[in-house]
């Protein structure tokens, strides 16, 4: 098995863990997904034994959206398509909702494709236009923070093949999201079988079984 070797390499490199990005373009079968899940489970076991973590890239195509199969094979999950692109934000919200319902919001990170600064568009020529703008990025980040309550966002640089400059609005929005996302007393709690903690309410737009912080908290919990 390569799993012990991967854990040793990660430990020796001084990193926090590994992120598996496997994107097969054939054999979109349940059996394929199950075999990939078994591989991830073996790698996670070895990494966790070294106090390291395993992440998995997921997407809305092929075997990468079989969340029920992968739910217990990684410490966190981060999305690629469709959330890299802002072309269909309704689809993005639906995809994030499916992730949080099956994988748990505390284990979900959402990938966003960056936007180039004016004059640096050519640096992103090798990647598709990800379409995040000053008008749509902040509302989507607000949704991720307030409704979906994901654990964070990951940025895929559009100019990864030819580094240029990221748009100021993009950096500012992500920084604001990070600064305004403290640990929530509701985060990670579900109301499918148990009541939410005091001050939390049950059911978000993304997930009817997720506890969230309402706009106004009861005096009893302040």
């Amino acid at each position: 098995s390569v799993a012990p070797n991967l854990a040793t390499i990660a430990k020796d490199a001084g990193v926090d863990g590994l992120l598996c990005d496997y994107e097969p373009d054939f054999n979109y079968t349940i059996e394929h997904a199950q075999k990939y899940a078994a591989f991830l489970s073996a790698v996670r076991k070895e990494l966790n034994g070294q106090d390291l973590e395993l992440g998995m890239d997921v997407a809305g195509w092929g075997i990468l959206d079989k969340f029920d199969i992968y739910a217990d094979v990684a410490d966190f999950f981060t999305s690629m398509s469709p959330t890299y692109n802002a072309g269909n934000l309704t689809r993005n919200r639906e995809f994030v909702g499916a992730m949080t319902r099956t994988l748990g919001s505390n284990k979900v990170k959402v990938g966003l494709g960056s936007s180039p600064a004016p004059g640096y568009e050519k640096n992103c020529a090798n990647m598709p236009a990800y379409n995040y703008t000053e008008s749509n990025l902040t509302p989507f980040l607000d949704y991720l923070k307030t409704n979906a309550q994901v654990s964070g966002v990951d940025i895929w640089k559009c100019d990864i093949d030819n580094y240029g400059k990221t748009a100021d609005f993009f950096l500012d929005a992500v920084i604001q999201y990070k600064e305004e996302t403290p640990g929530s007393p509701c985060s990670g709690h579900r109301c499918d079988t148990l009541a939410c903690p005091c001050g939390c309410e049950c059911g978000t737009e993304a997930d009817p079984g997720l506890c969230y912080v309402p706009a106004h908290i009861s005096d009893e919990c302040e």
Side-chain angles (χ1 to χ4, degrees):
S1 173
V2 300
N5 292 337
L6 290 173
T8 298
I9 291 170
K11 188 71 173 181
D12 291 345
V15 296
D16 296 328
L18 298 176
L19 174 63
C20 285
D21 179 12
Y22 175 55
E23 302 181 33
D25 58 1
F26 65 96
N27 189 15
Y28 296 158
T29 63
I30 295 299
E31 181 182 12
H32 191 178
Q34 290 171 335
K35 288 182 177 180
Y36 183 37
F39 167 76
L40 291 173
S41 293
V43 174
R44 184 190 187 191
K45 180 179 179 180
E46 295 295 334
L47 286 172
N48 288 174
Q50 302 257 23
D51 294 323
L52 303 176
E53 61 181 1
L54 175 70
M56 175 190 171
D57 277 336
V58 300
W61 56 272
I63 65 169
L64 300 178
D65 61 356
K66 309 298 189 242
F67 301 143
D68 56 334
I69 294 176
Y70 302 123
D72 297 319
V73 304
D75 299 297
F76 68 91
F77 302 83
T78 186
S79 62
M80 298 183 292
S81 65
T83 63
Y84 274 1
N85 197 302
N88 188 338
L89 290 172
T90 298
R91 166 64 174 144
N92 289 358
R93 289 184 177 91
E94 292 172 349
F95 187 79
V96 171
M99 288 182 69
T100 59
R101 285 191 295 273
T102 308
L103 305 173
S105 59
N106 61 321
K107 295 174 67 176
V108 168
K109 300 178 185 294
V110 175
L112 306 172
S114 70
S115 302
Y120 289 86
E121 291 83 0
K122 290 184 179 180
N123 294 76
C124 294
N126 291 347
M127 296 291 161
Y130 292 122
N131 299 312
Y132 281 104
T133 66
E134 193 165 3
S135 62
N136 67 28
L137 179 57
T138 295
F140 186 57
L141 289 172
D142 287 343
Y143 161 81
L144 295 178
K145 175 177 58 180
T146 305
N147 293 86
Q149 295 185 27
V150 298
S151 65
V153 296
D154 294 324
I155 309 303
W156 175 261
K157 287 178 63 63
C158 68
D159 56 355
I160 192 169
D161 293 328
N162 186 18
Y163 284 149
K165 183 179 179 181
T166 302
D168 288 340
F169 82 81
F170 192 96
L171 296 174
D172 291 343
V174 173
I175 291 171
Q176 182 178 11
Y177 165 86
K178 182 67 175 177
E179 291 177 345
E180 294 182 356
T181 310
S184 165
C186 309
S187 180
H189 291 279
R190 300 193 60 82
C191 47
D192 304 293
T193 56
L194 298 173
C196 292
C198 186
C200 305
E201 292 187 3
C202 177
T204 70
E205 176 186 348
D207 186 344
L210 185 68
C211 299
Y212 71 97
V213 179
H216 301 287
I217 301 176
S218 168
D219 292 340
E220 297 178 359
C221 299
E222 292 182 341

